Amino acid sequence: EPLAPPRVLRQLAHDVVEVATPVLTRNPALTEDDLISVAMTTSDAHRQIVAGRPHISERVTDALLERGNLPVARRLAANTTARISRSGFDRLLSRSRSDDILQKLLAERKDMSLAHVHQLIDFAGDAARERLRLVMPDVDADVINKAIHTETDHAHVLAGTATTRRDFSKAI
């Protein structure tokens, strides 16, 4: 069965999300430029679908992160086949500062640079410190700080010695 003409596929990809979904999900005829156009000109619902698409390029993920909301960022971080640029990881890490779910998704990625992993560990330590202060208001802040410092130091050591297995989810 022949594919629809490229012009028709591009129109469908930009249509309302109910129409666009089947085309955006996996249609191989959409080019990188087509996906970037969708990321830059449509809704976050469209972007979320593209973010889950297998094997999207750094250019596409950069466009998604430039325009997309937090659910788009989460979906992209969960897509282990998506290629994410250094600046894309910078954006994801910045957003993860205030989002535990995004931190956990990033911790499971095996393609982050070691510098990004260390940054994620620091963010997770900051988030843990704040959570502990909220749930344990009677505990001295110095005690909490020392405990978090000890754990983040340990996580940094683990990250620095990790070789083939890059699962840092236990570190945060």
Side-chain angles (χ1 to χ4, degrees):
E1 177 176 318
L3 294 173
R7 183 180 57 76
V8 173
L9 287 173
R10 282 191 292 276
Q11 284 179 314
L12 292 172
H14 286 81
D15 207 325
V16 295
V17 74
E18 294 80 10
V19 172
T21 296
V23 175
L24 292 176
T25 303
R26 291 193 187 268
N27 194 304
L30 290 176
T31 67
E32 181 181 60
D33 286 339
D34 294 335
L35 295 173
I36 290 168
S37 174
V38 169
M40 298 303 284
T41 62
T42 62
S43 71
D44 278 320
H46 289 77
R47 285 186 272 276
Q48 203 166 349
I49 295 164
V50 173
R53 190 178 164 105
H55 306 290
I56 50 179
S57 71
E58 288 183 2
R59 286 182 60 224
V60 172
T61 61
D62 283 346
L64 290 167
L65 290 169
E66 181 178 328
R67 298 281 186 161
N69 63 10
L70 183 59
V72 171
R74 287 177 177 171
R75 180 85 187 261
L76 185 58
N79 181 350
T80 58
T81 66
R83 295 189 45 106
I84 301 173
S85 68
R86 179 177 299 278
S87 65
F89 274 118
D90 288 342
R91 283 180 190 244
L92 285 168
L93 283 164
S94 177
R95 288 186 181 181
S96 78
R97 255 198 128 106
S98 59
D99 187 69
D100 292 347
I101 294 169
L102 187 53
Q103 286 178 9
K104 287 177 179 138
L105 291 168
L106 288 171
E108 293 172 12
R109 291 199 65 100
K110 298 182 181 350
D111 55 346
M112 271 200 313
S113 71
L114 194 53
H116 283 127
V117 169
H118 287 295
Q119 192 175 2
L120 180 61
I121 290 167
D122 288 337
F123 291 168
D126 292 344
R129 180 180 295 108
E130 293 309 311
R131 278 193 305 277
L132 287 174
R133 285 184 182 152
L134 287 173
V135 299
M136 303 170 75
D138 297 336
V139 176
D140 188 320
D142 289 339
V143 171
I144 291 174
N145 288 338
K146 184 175 180 185
I148 295 298
H149 183 74
T150 299
E151 290 305 312
T152 55
D153 279 355
H154 182 67
H156 283 294
V157 170
L158 289 175
T161 59
T163 53
T164 57
R165 190 165 162 262
R166 298 278 312 257
D167 179 7
F168 298 106
S169 59
K170 305 287 187 282
I172 61 171

